[in-house]
Amino acid sequence: MPMTDPLWYKDAVFYEVHVKAFFDGNDDGIGDFPGLTQKLDYLQWLGVNCIWLLPFFPSPLRDDGYDVADYLGVFADYGTLEDVRRFLDEAHRRGMRVIADLVLNHTSDQHPWFLESRSSPQSPKREYYVWSDTDKKYEKARIIFIDTEKSNWTWDPVAQAYYWHRFFSHQPDLNYDHPDLRRAMLDVLSFWLDQGLDGFRCDAVPYLFEREGTICENLPETHAYLKEVRKRIDEAYRGRILLAEANQWPADVRPYFGDGDEFHMAFHFPLMPRLFMGLRSEDWHPIVDMFIHTPPIPETCQWCLFLRNHDELTLEMCSGEERDYMYYAYARDPQMRRNIGIARRLAPLLDNDRRRIELLNSLVFTLPGSPIIYYGDEIGMGDNVHLGDRNGVRTPMQWSADRNGGFSKADAAALYLPVIADSLFGYQTANVEAQQQTPHSLLHWMRRLIAVRKRHRAFGRGTIEFLRPRNEKVLAYLRRHGEDVLLLVHNLAGSAQAVELEIRQFKGAVPIELFGESRFPAVGEAPYMLSLAPYGYYWFQLQRTTAGEPTYGIEDSLI
């Protein structure tokens, strides 16, 4: 696969994986880079273009690696820097790119910078963090982890001062007002790009700067620094990308693209819960309304779409009423709730209903943006809400019915987390090996979904036009890129539905169903009628007929 297109990310299918969760190469109970490298053939077979790695740096692991203790190292249990380089080389050899989490906003309180910073007011690293004699500054800033933190300030008995943190109290925020710190983080970026990384998913970017009288989010100073980061990429590392984690309303995320000179990509956080709302309410309005509130972005930029990831299904960008609805619909058990969200994987959220799993994946793969698959969701993996924090959705990948799900040969007690072993989602039934041997499994369906999407640039680069059928249970839209015109139709209801679509502008075109390449009756003057099974969907290419091309006899009577 040629890897020269600078806009490669617009057509990419991303696969998010935690190194420790995928495959254990040395049988110590923890996944590692040698193990991940062994499984690259599987990811190539699946068809994904880009692997997104969660943090793999040295860390006390109080926040699963997001509490970084050394930006330039590799956590010993995961392997060595040489193992990382070998993994990157093997991924690139198979035509896959790799991005990794870069935690810009904060470090662990065990990072040498912080240890030096707290040691003395005269320390050269003192201003690498935000210190104060009072905890009354920046009072308009919200507390993000409301179930664990009471303040954004924590008293440090060594420094005899308060330090600022937007997340856990063991994760002090870096002080981007200090020029040395800004340069140090640019050097971190360059170090990993020099190793061969293809870019970064930048964690928690709205919070880099603090200003009195503001909520300390989305500040102009933050955007100015992020443009510096992008400039470093453009000048020295063409073809690498920056993906923003900014859990904000679309209008607030829009500035993170700049004029095409800030982030290449950003997650569309508010869309995700509305996909679940639309499915539950059997109504396309929550989904379409979210796109109405999504401003245009520069031509070279792209949204990233997802159903689930390593965190809770966040409801931060929902109203109180919407949040209550989502809790009622998907998390009636309080153990399923984390922070302002739901700590469940995709299959359990949807009661393991294959039809609904397919439908939501179909939406994520056909709406504007690049889709992300969370490891294990391609086989319908389950979760364990009893593990606490967000560990319930970070359990070992299930490869086979062998012990420990084929993840590790270590004793079960040595695993970093227990494998899922319940009767519905346990590794004995939900595993890669079994599904690879079953032609109609979810895994084979996901592989086919990826393959079909990769054949049409309209999915990653095309425009979108929502049709507004009178049947509000059916979501239909057109995607166009050049001469390629695609019609996507989704039944959000658990009952069969009929729909009439106003597409007479394509009179004479023959809809070709993309999964089976079946020809449907040609489009005529009358509204185009379709019937859909419960949670059914169609992916059509509208193919213009040429003179002399045979048509079906029934088509003339329908025009």
Side-chain angles (χ1 to χ4, degrees), residues 218-267:
N218 309 320
L219 295 174
E221 294 87 348
T222 294
H223 291 289
Y225 179 70
L226 292 170
K227 288 182 194 299
E228 280 186 55
V229 174
R230 174 62 181 269
K231 189 177 178 204
R232 174 74 64 97
I233 294 266
D234 287 348
E235 287 177 350
Y237 303 100
R238 299 292 291 180
R240 319 291 181 92
I241 66 162
L242 297 169
L243 165 59
E245 189 220 17
N247 189 356
Q248 310 274 329
W249 200 249
D252 293 322
V253 177
R254 171 61 185 86
Y256 286 94
F257 294 114
D259 296 319
D261 60 350
E262 207 161 316
F263 281 95
H264 302 79
M265 309 183 79
F267 294 111

Side-chain angles (χ1 to χ4, degrees), residues 274-294:
R274 271 113 192 143
L275 295 173
F276 288 91
M277 285 180 207
L279 177 64
R280 183 71 181 202
S281 62
E282 301 188 351
D283 186 344
W284 52 254
H285 282 94
I287 300 169
V288 176
D289 287 351
M290 183 46 58
F291 279 95
I292 292 172
H293 290 99
T294 300

Side-chain angles (χ1 to χ4, degrees), residues 16 52 54 66 201 309-312 374 390 393-394:
E16 181 192 0
W52 159 25
L54 271 63
Y66 284 90
R201 177 263 197 188
N309 62 18
H310 61 287
D311 285 330
E312 67 274 9
Y374 185 48
R390 290 161 286 188
V393 299
R394 303 179 186 184

Side-chain angles (χ1 to χ4, degrees), residues 105 142 166-167 202-209 215-219 222-223 226 244-248 252-253 256 263:
N105 182 68
R142 66 193 171 104
R166 292 308 300 272
F167 295 92
C202 297
D203 183 66
V205 293
Y207 318 108
L208 300 188
F209 284 80
I215 62 170
C216 299
E217 296 179 24
N218 309 320
L219 295 174
T222 294
H223 291 289
L226 292 170
E245 189 220 17
N247 189 356
Q248 310 274 329
D252 293 322
V253 177
Y256 286 94
F263 281 95

Side-chain angles (χ1 to χ4, degrees), residues 8 34 46 53 67 114 141 200 234 417 458 549:
W8 61 267
L46 184 60
L53 300 178
D67 48 335
F114 185 73
F200 301 97
D234 287 348
L417 283 176
E549 188 173 324

Side-chain angles (χ1 to χ4, degrees), residues 185-195 200 232 236-237:
M185 294 307 289
L186 285 172
D187 290 344
V188 168
L189 180 114
S190 293
F191 175 84
W192 286 109
L193 294 174
D194 289 341
Q195 308 311 310
F200 301 97
R232 174 74 64 97
Y237 303 100

Side-chain angles (χ1 to χ4, degrees), residues 130-366:
V130 183
W131 294 98
S132 171
D133 294 329
T134 172
D135 60 356
K136 302 302 180 188
K137 293 175 69 175
Y138 314 135
E139 290 190 303
K140 289 188 177 181
R142 66 193 171 104
I143 297 169
I144 295 170
F145 286 166
I146 59 170
D147 55 353
T148 56
E149 302 298 329
K150 305 303 178 197
S151 171
N152 288 321
W153 291 102
T154 289
W155 175 258
D156 183 58
V158 176
Q160 289 292 298
Y162 293 95
Y163 63 85
W164 177 253
H165 57 87
R166 292 308 300 272
F167 295 92
F168 291 119
S169 57
H170 57 80
Q171 292 171 328
D173 276 25
L174 291 164
N175 177 22
Y176 279 89
D177 279 318
H178 197 281
D180 289 350
L181 183 277
R182 293 199 299 270
R183 283 191 291 271
M185 294 307 289
L186 285 172
D187 290 344
V188 168
L189 180 114
S190 293
F191 175 84
W192 286 109
L193 294 174
D194 289 341
Q195 308 311 310
L197 270 182
D198 296 289
F200 301 97
R201 177 263 197 188
C202 297
D203 183 66
V205 293
Y207 318 108
L208 300 188
F209 284 80
E210 302 77 33
R211 291 292 180 267
E212 198 60 70
T214 75
I215 62 170
C216 299
E217 296 179 24
N218 309 320
L219 295 174
E221 294 87 348
T222 294
H223 291 289
Y225 179 70
L226 292 170
K227 288 182 194 299
E228 280 186 55
V229 174
R230 174 62 181 269
K231 189 177 178 204
R232 174 74 64 97
I233 294 266
D234 287 348
E235 287 177 350
Y237 303 100
R238 299 292 291 180
R240 319 291 181 92
I241 66 162
L242 297 169
L243 165 59
E245 189 220 17
N247 189 356
Q248 310 274 329
W249 200 249
D252 293 322
V253 177
R254 171 61 185 86
Y256 286 94
F257 294 114
D259 296 319
D261 60 350
E262 207 161 316
F263 281 95
H264 302 79
M265 309 183 79
F267 294 111
H268 202 314
F269 276 99
L271 173 64
M272 179 264 300
R274 271 113 192 143
L275 295 173
F276 288 91
M277 285 180 207
L279 177 64
R280 183 71 181 202
S281 62
E282 301 188 351
D283 186 344
W284 52 254
H285 282 94
I287 300 169
V288 176
D289 287 351
M290 183 46 58
F291 279 95
I292 292 172
H293 290 99
T294 300
I297 60 176
E299 190 68 28
T300 57
C301 296
Q302 181 78 317
W303 291 105
C304 246
L305 309 185
F306 63 100
L307 292 171
R308 289 301 301 110
N309 62 18
H310 61 287
D311 285 330
E312 67 274 9
L313 190 162
T314 179
L315 304 177
E316 264 193 275
M317 293 298 112
C318 295
S319 68
E321 185 179 349
E322 290 171 329
R323 202 171 293 152
D324 290 343
Y325 180 78
M326 286 291 288
Y327 282 143
Y328 175 79
Y330 294 106
R332 296 190 193 183
D333 183 346
Q335 288 190 94
M336 299 173 182
R337 304 176 189 181
R338 297 287 185 280
N339 295 314
I340 308 174
I342 301 170
R344 303 228 69 189
R345 269 189 176 268
L346 180 63
L349 273 169
L350 302 176
D351 301 320
N352 207 28
D353 185 336
R354 170 76 179 270
R355 302 168 305 168
R356 291 192 287 162
I357 292 171
E358 286 191 15
L359 180 71
L360 284 186
N361 272 298
S362 176
L363 288 170
V364 163
F365 271 70
T366 58

Side-chain angles (χ1 to χ4, degrees), residues 464-483:
I464 188 164
E465 176 189 344
F466 287 101
L467 305 177
R468 296 178 181 265
R470 281 177 293 180
N471 186 342
E472 296 181 345
K473 296 178 185 294
V474 178
L475 173 62
Y477 44 94
L478 297 162
R479 302 295 315 275
R480 301 195 215 195
H481 181 70
E483 295 297 308

